[in-house]
Amino acid sequence: MNDLSSAKPSPAPKRELHRRAVPGPKSKAIFDREAQAMAPGLQSIALFSQIVVDRAQGCTITDVDGNEYLDFIAGIAVGSLGHAHPRLVARLKEQVERVTFGSFTTEARAEFLERIAATLPEGITHLQLFSGGAEAVEAAFRLAKSATKKFEFIGFWGGFHGKSQGVIGLLGGSYRNHQGPFPPGMHHSPYANCYRCPWNLQHPSCGMACAEHLRNVIKNDTQGEIAAIIIEPMQGTAGNVIPPDDFIHAVREIATEAGALLIADEILVGFGRTGKMWASEHFGLKPDVMTIGKGIGGGFPMSGVASSLENMSATPFGEPSGSSSSYGGNPLAAAAGLAAIEALTEDKLVENSARVGAVMLDALKKVQEKYRFIGDVRGRGLMIGVDMVTDRKTKAPLDKKITRALFHEALERGLITMSYSNVIRINPPLVITEDEALQGVDILDQSFAAIAQRFGLD
């Protein structure tokens, strides 16, 4: 396998940057056909693009009309290995001919668990496997209740931990509207999104007002029965937000003070996404529980909860069938997970994420200097956020009409990216080369220029 951290990136295929009609006629016909039976609540990127994928390889997606697109989303950070990675394909082909379902141990699962466990923070030694992120977070909550015998949970503004009923009460944004009543004991506190501080303060002179607010939430809003505080070490859905180190350290301290477990939700930000194996490593954070998912399956549905054996053994979570899932850790998922961690290690994809992400971040900061509507560019590894505003002083979000136009400008030039809201979330596959990354930035630059002219933003 190639060593992506040291080998010189091979030149990416030259992409034509001429405008093409998207969706093409074949895509539109199939999309409309599916819509006769498909519920309307698909992911925004699928609804807005209406492309129909024919095949994909690495960081390139090809639709049924023959249009090629550079992938800057990786299935919302699911496709850590890119599309049709040969190691993943080989592992799944081999496994599907042997056994495909069941909870029994397989050699692939044993090896996967050994290799993942060896990467986890100190004190976290055991895992239980599931199929999706929300399922893993709900399991982490059951674990916290079992271990502490308490029932309250605290999350943060802008947080995203899934849309199932057990976690939706801690969801940020409009997904939670009209979905109540929520389970009792759910509380929120502001996250350290320093670009959009709710108190309009500046770090570090703010005195960590968000951490002090968390203490006040515990004191005034809870019953003192906090089972866990759940935090994304870096927030993904909120816009790839990178908090200051001292906020994360303060949350760790506050959880300990409250006698609560600290759950680090690494589902989106873990597995090399931020240039380290786990985002917690950037802060030296030692959580009590971790939720992992998305990239760990290389695109196959897979998630997990990790903690100490002591916590995992707490009843009823640790009883036979107390934490199990019919699909979690099935033979196909285990094979996919093993392929993912093999590729991550042997292809040095964590290092590639750090190196290519730094190049991309630097290039985007240079692009920022050209457009007054780009308010902030931030990121770690291949998790980058670009905040678009009407005014850099007020930081008012750029109008959705403009951002939707930006999405289509980029799409029609051959780039699939989450640019349809005021924060562009850039999460390409970890296999992306420097040439591909800079090619995508160039397409964004051209697309920014197009909307600047179209909407009088220059």
Side-chain angles (χ1 to χ4, degrees):
M1 304 299 288
N2 293 329
D3 182 341
L4 297 180
S5 68
S6 58
K8 184 178 180 180
S10 57
K14 186 66 176 176
R15 297 174 193 273
E16 294 183 4
L17 300 186
H18 67 273
R19 300 279 293 275
R20 77 284 304 271
V22 180
K26 292 182 181 178
S27 285
K28 181 62 175 170
I30 297 172
F31 181 90
D32 289 347
R33 183 176 121 212
E34 182 188 59
Q36 298 303 308
M38 174 64 76
L42 286 173
Q43 284 183 331
S44 298
I45 201 151
L47 285 174
F48 296 161
S49 69
Q50 298 188 13
I51 67 170
V52 174
V53 176
D54 179 55
R55 61 192 181 277
Q57 182 73 46
C59 294
T60 300
I61 294 173
T62 305
D63 69 18
V64 292
D65 295 282
N67 296 315
E68 289 189 353
Y69 308 90
L70 180 61
D71 183 1
F72 262 24
I73 63 168
I76 321 298
V78 163
S80 52
L81 307 186
H83 300 276
H85 191 285
R87 186 182 291 277
L88 183 70
V89 171
R91 282 279 184 192
L92 286 174
K93 277 184 176 179
E94 178 188 13
Q95 189 61 56
V96 80
E97 293 177 344
R98 300 177 68 182
V99 58
T100 59
F101 64 89
S103 300
F104 298 111
T105 299
T106 61
E107 187 173 357
R109 191 171 77 185
E111 186 174 351
F112 168 72
L113 289 170
E114 286 172 346
R115 296 186 69 159
I116 281 286
T119 72
L120 297 173
E122 181 182 352
I124 296 183
T125 57
H126 287 67
L127 298 98
Q128 182 60 277
L129 300 175
F130 302 94
S131 301
E135 186 183 9
V137 174
E138 290 214 22
F141 283 9
R142 297 198 310 274
L143 169 63
K145 288 181 178 181
S146 296
T148 67
K149 310 308 179 188
K150 300 176 183 179
F151 70 94
E152 293 181 287
F153 295 91
I154 299 177
F156 293 91
W157 295 0
F160 188 92
H161 309 289
K163 289 177 279 192
S164 57
Q165 192 61 24
V167 297
I168 198 170
L170 294 180
L171 198 62
S174 61
Y175 295 114
R176 67 201 301 267
N177 293 351
H178 312 297
Q179 298 300 307
F182 303 126
M186 298 284 186
H187 307 280
H188 276 96
S189 192
Y191 193 83
N193 183 346
C194 294
Y195 183 67
R196 296 191 176 279
C197 175
W199 295 279
N200 293 316
L201 299 173
Q202 296 292 322
H203 182 267
S205 61
C206 61
M208 275 288 102
C210 47
E212 291 309 307
H213 188 91
L214 175 59
R215 285 191 168 94
N216 285 328
V217 167
I218 293 172
K219 178 181 178 181
N220 298 305
D221 294 349
T222 77
Q223 300 178 43
E225 293 286 338
I226 306 164
I229 297 174
I230 184 168
I231 188 169
E232 296 164 272
M234 301 174 189
Q235 283 192 333
T237 302
N240 290 356
V241 177
I242 315 297
D245 290 16
D246 46 354
F247 173 70
I248 298 297
H249 298 159
V251 172
R252 169 68 276 183
E253 181 181 320
I254 291 167
T256 302
E257 290 172 0
L261 299 183
L262 181 62
I263 302 172
D265 186 345
E266 295 257 7
I267 289 170
L268 190 151
V269 300
F271 206 70
R273 171 60 49 192
T274 65
K276 291 187 180 293
M277 184 65 181
W278 307 109
S280 296
E281 295 176 30
H282 288 277
F283 310 99
L285 176 64
K286 294 182 179 179
D288 302 298
V289 182
M290 283 175 58
T291 54
I292 61 177
K294 287 190 179 280
I296 68 168
F300 196 94
M302 191 179 196
S303 65
V305 174
S307 191
S308 66
L309 179 59
E310 179 182 2
N311 286 334
M312 289 291 206
S313 301
T315 57
F317 192 84
E319 294 175 341
S321 297
S323 62
S324 63
S325 163
S326 296
Y327 289 104
N330 69 72
L332 287 174
L338 179 56
I341 196 164
E342 285 174 338
L344 194 80
T345 304
E346 295 173 23
D347 294 357
K348 298 189 181 303
L349 298 185
V350 179
E351 295 87 341
N352 191 63
S353 174
R355 182 180 60 80
V356 177
V359 170
M360 189 185 299
L361 187 66
D362 181 65
L364 285 165
K365 285 184 178 293
K366 291 176 181 176
V367 171
Q368 179 185 15
E369 297 172 3
K370 299 169 61 175
Y371 304 102
R372 60 181 175 84
F373 56 85
I374 300 180
D376 190 42
V377 176
R378 55 186 176 261
R380 294 286 188 279
L382 292 173
M383 177 176 159
I384 296 174
V386 179
D387 220 302
M388 297 182 290
V389 297
T390 58
D391 183 275
R392 286 185 175 178
K393 290 184 178 179
T394 66
K395 302 178 184 177
L398 200 61
D399 188 88
K400 286 185 178 180
K401 177 183 177 182
I402 300 175
T403 60
R404 281 288 299 276
L406 174 65
F407 170 74
H408 286 285
E409 290 284 348
L411 190 67
E412 291 169 8
R413 287 174 170 82
L415 178 68
I416 296 179
T417 189
M418 298 173 72
S419 59
Y420 43 78
S421 67
N422 68 290
V423 181
I424 304 174
R425 293 166 55 198
I426 299 174
N427 306 304
L430 304 185
V431 298
I432 194 169
T433 65
E434 185 175 321
D435 283 350
E436 288 173 321
L438 292 177
Q439 192 172 70
V441 172
D442 183 52
I443 294 174
L444 275 175
D445 190 359
Q446 294 182 42
S447 302
F448 288 143
I451 65 162
Q453 182 178 26
R454 179 174 169 185
F455 294 97
L457 301 175
D458 47 8

